[in-house]
Amino acid sequence: MNLRLGTRKSLMATTQSQQVADRLTELTGRGVDLVGITTFGDVSKAQLSQLGGTGVFVSELREKLAADEIDFAVHSLKDLPTTPDPRLVLAAIPLRDDPRDALVGARKLADLAPGSRVGTGSPRRVAQLRLLRPDLDYVPIRGNADTRIGKVTSGELDGVVLAAAGLARLRRDDEIANFFDTDEMLPAPGQGALAVECRADRPELIKLLSTLDDARTRDAVVAERAVLAALEAGCSAPVGAYAVDDGHTLTLTATVVSIDGAAAVRKSTTGPVSSAMELGRELAATMIAEGAGQLMGEQAH
């Protein structure tokens, strides 16, 4: 019998879920059927920052898992709350795609005229964009990638910022005007990575799904998400984090930026890959000592 893979119904979600399904079948021979599920984040018209961000795209999938209506689920890892659900286990984190943010439009960010309108639904992106170009007008937007890109082609906006990985999965990466290197804009913790989740009481399924796991990606995102958790920040907060695992050492960089782009705390650390979570927690503690908590508080108000 084929496994039931729960996924959001958006083109982005079904595309990345199908890629995971195909890879699992290739590695194990098990067939997989996609089961489309509508989440609260999909139907709400509110901005993500107003929804609180955390879990709005995954809670319904998790409830279907717990009820045994699906066998496993695929999420964008950056949408997954950092607080574990004891009913479930993160069985695999496949090899990460491009973690960077990207600008879609006719011109690079540096070439946009002052006052140009750039769309993004992410406070993290807005805060870091304001560090780069405080003279632009940043417009909050919702909707799938097609909807957002359509605001550029219609002339409503001069550009939109999206995750490079998502654009590549949709084969829309030829519309990217420029990529933001991680020294310019740190991605959301876990950006570009997928999370494969199933029930904790299914050891045989966990073993099967673990064939999809990439150890280096897991180490990196564990460190990034540890920063987010220690800062007690949700996925809509202005927190960027990115870690690189060379097989022995983990290099982790994180930032918290005030929403107006006027102040930022940015720190880096290195350590053994075996201490990924501790590295993230220690880096967050250093950032809090240097005022990151106050910047987070300003965002909350």
Side-chain angles (χ1 to χ4, degrees):
M1 195 168 82
N2 286 356
L3 294 169
R4 301 161 297 170
L5 191 172
T7 176
R8 291 169 59 197
K9 294 180 181 178
S10 71
L11 179 60
M12 181 85 72
T14 55
T15 299
Q16 63 195 29
S17 293
Q18 190 62 58
Q19 290 173 354
V20 170
D22 292 345
R23 181 63 175 154
L24 185 66
T25 301
E26 180 186 334
L27 291 171
T28 68
R30 284 297 299 269
V32 179
D33 295 325
L34 264 57
V35 179
I37 294 165
T38 301
T39 71
F40 176 69
D42 295 317
V43 296
S44 173
K45 301 299 183 187
Q47 295 299 323
L48 186 59
S49 55
Q50 294 171 323
L51 293 174
T54 308
V56 296
F57 293 117
V58 304
S59 55
E60 191 65 28
L61 288 167
R62 286 179 145 183
E63 291 308 315
K64 297 289 186 185
L65 268 178
D68 204 27
E69 293 180 35
I70 54 175
D71 296 302
F72 68 110
V74 172
H75 316 283
S76 291
L77 184 59
K78 66 184 176 66
D79 294 336
L80 205 62
T82 53
T83 304
D85 185 325
R87 304 170 298 176
L88 309 174
V89 65
L90 198 49
I93 301 173
L95 180 67
R96 184 185 216 163
D97 292 320
D98 192 334
R100 296 176 295 175
D101 292 295
L103 177 70
V104 173
R107 294 180 178 84
K108 295 182 178 181
L109 191 78
D111 298 331
L112 289 172
S116 294
R117 291 163 57 82
V118 176
T120 172
S122 161
R124 171 191 62 82
R125 288 176 178 142
V126 170
Q128 294 187 89
L129 285 164
R130 283 183 173 143
L131 284 173
L132 299 171
R133 286 292 307 269
D135 58 331
L136 301 182
D137 182 15
Y138 298 106
V139 180
I141 54 172
R142 281 288 315 268
N144 60 35
D146 281 339
T147 300
R148 297 184 190 205
I149 294 170
K151 293 181 184 294
V152 178
T153 53
S154 71
E156 182 181 340
L157 297 173
D158 298 293
V160 293
V161 181
L162 298 162
L167 290 164
R169 289 171 193 147
L170 293 176
R171 300 187 179 177
R172 302 288 299 263
D173 44 341
D174 58 341
E175 297 171 66
I176 293 172
N178 77 263
F179 294 94
F180 295 99
D181 290 330
T182 54
D183 58 347
E184 295 178 293
M185 186 186 297
L186 281 172
Q191 185 163 304
L194 299 175
V196 181
E197 202 171 40
C198 71
R199 280 172 50 145
D201 61 358
R202 299 191 61 182
E204 290 184 7
L205 181 58
I206 294 168
K207 184 177 179 181
L208 184 83
L209 296 173
S210 71
T211 59
L212 296 165
D213 196 63
D214 180 74
R216 288 191 181 184
T217 298
R218 184 179 280 267
D219 289 336
V221 300
V222 162
E224 294 164 17
R225 286 166 59 77
V227 172
L228 194 65
L231 290 171
E232 297 184 339
C235 63
S236 65
V239 176
Y242 181 57
V244 179
D245 175 3
D246 69 2
H248 304 285
T249 303
L250 205 61
T251 301
L252 172 65
T253 303
T255 191
V256 172
V257 186
S258 65
I259 198 64
D260 61 2
V265 175
R266 182 181 174 119
K267 302 295 290 184
S268 295
T269 189
T270 58
V273 294
S274 58
S275 302
M277 187 168 289
E278 290 77 9
L279 272 179
R281 288 172 176 163
E282 289 167 9
L283 188 64
T286 302
M287 294 171 71
I288 289 168
E290 295 195 11
Q294 288 152 297
L295 296 182
M296 297 286 300
E298 289 169 14
Q299 163 68 9
H301 295 298

